[in-house]
Amino acid sequence: MMRSAALAFLLVIRAAVCAAAGFSFVAMSDSRGAFKGVNAPVLRLLVEHALSRPGVRFIAFPGDMVNGGKVSARRTRSELEEWRRVMAPAYESPVLAGLKVYPGIGNHEVYRFGGVAAFRKVFPELPQNGPEGEEGLIYSFDHGNAHFVMLDTNQWEVEGRGREQAWRKVRHLGWLRADLAAARGRGLEHIFVFGHEPAFPVSAHHVGDGLPNVGWDDEFGKDPSFREERDAFWALLKEFDAAAYVCGHEHANAIESVQGLHQILAGGAGAPLYEFLPCAKGGERYREMVPYYKALGYPHGEGDNCQASADFWGSRSFGYFLIRIDGKAVTAEYWGVEPKDGSRTNLPKGAELRLMRS
């Protein structure tokens, strides 16, 4: 059900005949940039605008807040502290509830061993109810009639004892199943799960990775276990009738339903913006992508959109999703602003966010 208006859209994820007074939350990610690791001008604009929306109670931010320290974890910690300073209006807001901001870990936070420790030091207040060894990285919380889970899809395996990266995975499905079952047992009506890596990539920049991780170059197609693990994760969310999986990693904003479950990609908080997957048959970039479309099962024939779902909508812009819960109803809006001409990181002069349409 869409509401048509100039530069506006309202997507009804779940409808209800009679909706009670509810609340909203904001989802955004990928704010890394040139100002001490953060694209501060964009992030400030988004936060200021989000705080002006009525009914907003918290901000969820699944990863890549900062550039991260490829040289040292100390740099990662310094940049995360800067990110928290930029986010101060949210942390100090008298309107937001709970912890007010719920960040998750992304690949840029764990480029170096020690990134996890840096993340924990900067965000010590996060819930410690995750699986053993990932407390504060994987966690869950309730608000109103909804349950929220933050996953860690980019991790160093066994921090403090080993240095094997375990990226692009949803581990601890047993913990997740138990957590979701407990939420349903408490009578919570809606479930939202956050993670940095998309279950269904949307851009050429990351079509080879994300949770399906079909690989690049010589590694293309060699390890189908990632797709199997992604499928098991998606099946689990469907089993518990989750409202949406909210992710980032790809620097754009998009929403689509796959097998009846929505993926909301909210990656436009300041990192360099990406183009969506090409679907113009005959073009060089399209031909390059065809093996990936086949590996991922994306329709790519005449009239297809080369995405996981026919109802895909996307915007290459800076922005955030505003998700509202009214009783049994869930709706999503996207607020955004297009970048300055010729730039992937800068705002146009006098930039103002608009409610953008599909």
Side-chain angles (χ1 to χ4, degrees), residues 42-191:
V42 170
L43 186 57
R44 285 195 184 101
L45 177 68
L46 299 186
V47 171
E48 178 183 355
H49 189 273
L51 293 178
S52 73
R53 299 299 91 195
V56 172
R57 291 295 173 262
F58 63 86
I59 297 173
F61 209 105
D64 278 11
M65 291 88 82
V66 299
N67 281 330
K70 289 188 177 182
V71 176
S72 72
R74 179 181 299 177
R75 178 171 176 176
T76 301
R77 179 175 177 179
S78 174
E79 291 181 354
L80 288 172
E81 289 170 343
E82 176 64 17
W83 183 88
R84 189 156 183 153
R85 282 190 286 269
V86 175
M87 293 288 289
Y91 281 103
E92 297 168 1
S93 170
V95 175
L96 300 190
L99 298 181
K100 303 184 180 183
V101 181
Y102 293 89
I105 208 159
N107 56 295
H108 275 262
E109 280 76 48
V110 289
Y111 263 135
R112 300 291 297 180
F113 189 73
V116 165
F119 182 89
R120 283 179 163 140
K121 287 176 182 176
V122 178
F123 304 108
E125 75 279 6
L126 294 177
Q128 302 294 303
N129 58 352
E132 183 178 359
E134 295 215 49
E135 297 89 346
L137 309 177
I138 296 176
Y139 57 87
S140 66
F141 61 96
D142 300 338
H143 188 94
N145 63 340
H147 182 66
F148 302 88
V149 183
M150 182 67 72
L151 298 176
D152 168 15
T153 62
N154 298 96
Q155 173 61 286
W156 287 91
E157 196 74 28
V158 195
E159 178 89 8
R161 289 185 290 167
R163 298 196 174 193
E164 178 187 353
Q165 286 177 323
W167 285 15
R168 305 179 183 120
K169 290 178 178 288
V170 176
R171 296 173 305 286
H172 307 296
L173 285 183
W175 176 90
L176 180 58
R177 174 180 291 279
D179 179 83
L180 298 183
R184 289 299 189 205
R186 295 194 298 277
L188 296 167
E189 294 187 81
H190 305 290
I191 288 173

Side-chain angles (χ1 to χ4, degrees), residues 29-33 39 64 251 267-274 318 344-345:
S29 70
D30 295 84
S31 57
R32 59 186 181 86
N39 190 337
D64 278 11
H251 307 162
L273 294 171
Y274 296 158
F318 302 119
R344 296 187 302 147
T345 58

Side-chain angles (χ1 to χ4, degrees), residues 8-353:
F9 95 92
L10 176 66
L11 175 69
V12 179
I13 295 176
R14 295 185 173 185
V17 175
C18 179
F23 68 95
S24 300
F25 70 91
V26 166
M28 64 174 104
S29 70
D30 295 84
S31 57
R32 59 186 181 86
F35 299 85
K36 297 182 180 179
V38 184
N39 190 337
V42 170
L43 186 57
R44 285 195 184 101
L45 177 68
L46 299 186
V47 171
E48 178 183 355
H49 189 273
L51 293 178
S52 73
R53 299 299 91 195
V56 172
R57 291 295 173 262
F58 63 86
I59 297 173
F61 209 105
D64 278 11
M65 291 88 82
V66 299
N67 281 330
K70 289 188 177 182
V71 176
S72 72
R74 179 181 299 177
R75 178 171 176 176
T76 301
R77 179 175 177 179
S78 174
E79 291 181 354
L80 288 172
E81 289 170 343
E82 176 64 17
W83 183 88
R84 189 156 183 153
R85 282 190 286 269
V86 175
M87 293 288 289
Y91 281 103
E92 297 168 1
S93 170
V95 175
L96 300 190
L99 298 181
K100 303 184 180 183
V101 181
Y102 293 89
I105 208 159
N107 56 295
H108 275 262
E109 280 76 48
V110 289
Y111 263 135
R112 300 291 297 180
F113 189 73
V116 165
F119 182 89
R120 283 179 163 140
K121 287 176 182 176
V122 178
F123 304 108
E125 75 279 6
L126 294 177
Q128 302 294 303
N129 58 352
E132 183 178 359
E134 295 215 49
E135 297 89 346
L137 309 177
I138 296 176
Y139 57 87
S140 66
F141 61 96
D142 300 338
H143 188 94
N145 63 340
H147 182 66
F148 302 88
V149 183
M150 182 67 72
L151 298 176
D152 168 15
T153 62
N154 298 96
Q155 173 61 286
W156 287 91
E157 196 74 28
V158 195
E159 178 89 8
R161 289 185 290 167
R163 298 196 174 193
E164 178 187 353
Q165 286 177 323
W167 285 15
R168 305 179 183 120
K169 290 178 178 288
V170 176
R171 296 173 305 286
H172 307 296
L173 285 183
W175 176 90
L176 180 58
R177 174 180 291 279
D179 179 83
L180 298 183
R184 289 299 189 205
R186 295 194 298 277
L188 296 167
E189 294 187 81
H190 305 290
I191 288 173
F192 294 86
V193 177
F194 306 97
H196 185 62
E197 299 280 340
F200 301 93
V202 305
S203 76
H205 196 92
H206 283 303
V207 69
D209 53 72
L211 293 182
N213 199 22
V214 298
W216 299 99
D217 302 325
D218 293 341
E219 298 301 315
F220 176 75
K222 285 188 175 181
D223 189 352
S225 67
F226 285 92
R227 276 163 283 173
E228 294 167 0
E229 291 169 354
R230 187 276 311 271
D231 291 346
F233 167 62
W234 204 249
L236 180 60
L237 297 191
K238 286 179 58 187
E239 178 184 342
F240 284 91
D241 193 24
Y245 173 59
V246 185
C247 55
H249 192 52
E250 305 201 74
H251 307 162
N253 295 275
I255 188 166
E256 60 189 315
S257 61
V258 182
Q259 302 168 22
L261 172 62
H262 281 86
Q263 173 178 279
I264 298 175
L265 191 143
L273 294 171
Y274 296 158
E275 301 284 352
F276 291 110
L277 288 167
C279 214
K281 295 184 74 172
E284 181 178 348
R285 195 62 169 152
Y286 171 83
R287 290 194 297 269
E288 182 183 342
M289 291 295 105
V290 167
Y292 293 91
Y293 299 152
K294 291 181 178 178
L296 292 167
Y298 286 12
H300 56 283
E302 191 68 36
D304 290 323
N305 64 4
C306 301
Q307 297 286 352
S309 173
D311 67 1
F312 175 88
W313 175 88
S315 176
R316 183 184 176 275
S317 56
F318 302 119
Y320 66 88
F321 277 92
L322 178 69
I323 301 169
R324 180 160 183 81
I325 301 171
D326 286 292
K328 294 184 181 299
V330 178
T331 57
E333 297 177 351
Y334 174 67
W335 291 85
V337 58
E338 294 177 352
K340 180 180 178 181
D341 287 347
S343 173
R344 296 187 302 147
T345 58
N346 296 331
L347 290 165
K349 186 177 181 180
E352 293 184 1
L353 271 78

